[in-house]
Amino acid sequence: EPEVTQTPSHQVTQMGQEVILRCVPISNHLYFYWYRQILGQKVEFLVSFYNNEISEKSEIFDDQFSVERPDGSNFTLKIRSTKLEDSAMYFCASSEAPVSSYEQYFGPGTRLTVT
Amino acid sequence: AQSVTQLGSHVSVSEGALVLLRCNYSSSVPPYLFWYVQYPNQGLQLLLKYTSAATLVKGINGFEAEFKKSETSFHLTKPSAHMSDAAEYFCAVNNNYGQNFVFGPGTRLSVLP
């Protein structure tokens, strides 16, 4: 069964450093998302992406964040200068269509630890 | 604006007992509702979804949920808990105007032998 994959599974970085989290969505999906989950808190939407453009973004997704689809398979989230409060689990998701009734398929997540 | 509440951050049941995980939503338009499960160190897996067809929705692993508009609820149930059901369960809502999900805070289910 096709699945969303994410690398790395765990990333440790120092405050102020740049990190890139990578995702490979399901191959025939066209809509891509990033969510984050701070430890012990709920899953929060960051950004959605379609046709090489951001479709929606939340208040969390400020200028420190960017997304890119550098090739036909990868979808990346970059945090330009990490802060302690960026420590969280980051989930990538993809869906066939943006229609709200379509489920989103989630990857296993990347745990980001900022020290 | 949409929101989701899940009553009970932690629910414990005995193996073989009924599982009931509560979800209430707030949405200005008819919602689409989803239940996801997260096993330790894994991503979110879809259990079931309501998309305005039947109000009683059956999902994987014996779970089902009933959409009750009058109560703005979408509670998740399973008649008989199994040890393998121990996980975190998230209710999520979406509507026709947004692509992203709004998740509830989650309920951790423990199953006792």
Side-chain angles (χ1 to χ4, degrees):
Chain A
E1 185 176 333
E3 58 182 17
V4 176
T5 59
Q6 290 184 244
T7 54
S9 57
H10 191 190
Q11 173 89 45
V12 180
T13 189
Q14 288 189 328
M15 195 168 51
Q17 296 295 306
E18 174 185 286
V19 294
I20 297 176
L21 310 183
R22 290 182 167 80
C23 167
V24 178
I26 293 173
S27 61
N28 65 330
H29 287 184
L30 300 176
Y31 300 85
F32 315 116
Y33 313 84
W34 283 101
Y35 292 80
R36 81 171 184 190
Q37 183 183 27
I38 294 172
L39 186 63
Q41 299 186 26
K42 64 181 178 182
V43 179
E44 301 172 290
F45 168 75
L46 291 177
V47 66
S48 59
F49 189 86
Y50 167 68
N51 200 26
N52 285 320
E53 286 185 346
I54 290 174
S55 305
E56 283 184 76
K57 61 181 181 179
S58 71
E59 293 176 352
I60 302 167
F61 195 87
D62 60 22
D63 292 343
Q64 293 296 317
F65 292 89
S66 62
V67 289
E68 190 179 28
R69 188 154 164 83
D71 52 44
S73 58
N74 289 284
F75 178 52
T76 62
L77 173 70
K78 181 192 291 186
I79 308 175
R80 189 152 50 93
S81 178
T82 51
K83 302 187 284 286
L84 293 176
E85 53 264 38
D86 293 328
S87 295
M89 182 74 90
Y90 289 81
F91 292 105
C92 173
S94 69
S95 66
E96 291 179 65
V99 177
S100 304
S101 61
Y102 278 75
E103 63 261 36
Q104 295 177 12
Y105 293 80
F106 285 79
T110 292
R111 182 169 299 283
L112 177 65
T113 302
V114 182
T115 61
Chain B
Q2 305 164 91
S3 67
V4 177
T5 57
Q6 291 183 241
L7 186 62
S9 59
H10 189 195
V11 170
S12 291
V13 300
S14 297
E15 193 173 17
L18 171 72
V19 175
L20 171 60
L21 304 181
R22 298 178 187 275
C23 171
N24 288 87
Y25 69 91
S26 170
S27 176
S28 57
V29 296
Y32 296 124
L33 294 156
F34 303 77
W35 275 100
Y36 280 85
V37 61
Q38 184 181 27
Y39 297 104
N41 300 315
Q42 295 188 28
L44 298 165
Q45 179 184 1
L46 181 71
L47 274 178
L48 48 80
K49 65 178 182 179
Y50 166 76
T51 57
S52 74
T55 57
L56 182 62
V57 181
K58 294 187 184 300
I60 63 171
N61 302 338
F63 283 93
E64 61 182 38
E66 186 172 8
F67 173 69
K68 291 187 177 180
K69 184 178 178 181
S70 60
E71 299 177 7
T72 61
S73 69
F74 190 56
H75 300 332
L76 181 71
T77 61
K78 181 174 180 177
S80 177
H82 192 272
M83 298 294 288
S84 60
D85 295 326
E88 187 94 16
Y89 291 80
F90 294 94
C91 182
V93 65
N94 200 345
N95 62 34
N96 282 319
Y97 303 110
Q99 298 175 16
N100 57 291
F101 288 172
V102 173
F103 282 88
T107 296
R108 181 171 301 278
L109 175 67
S110 297
V111 181
L112 308 174

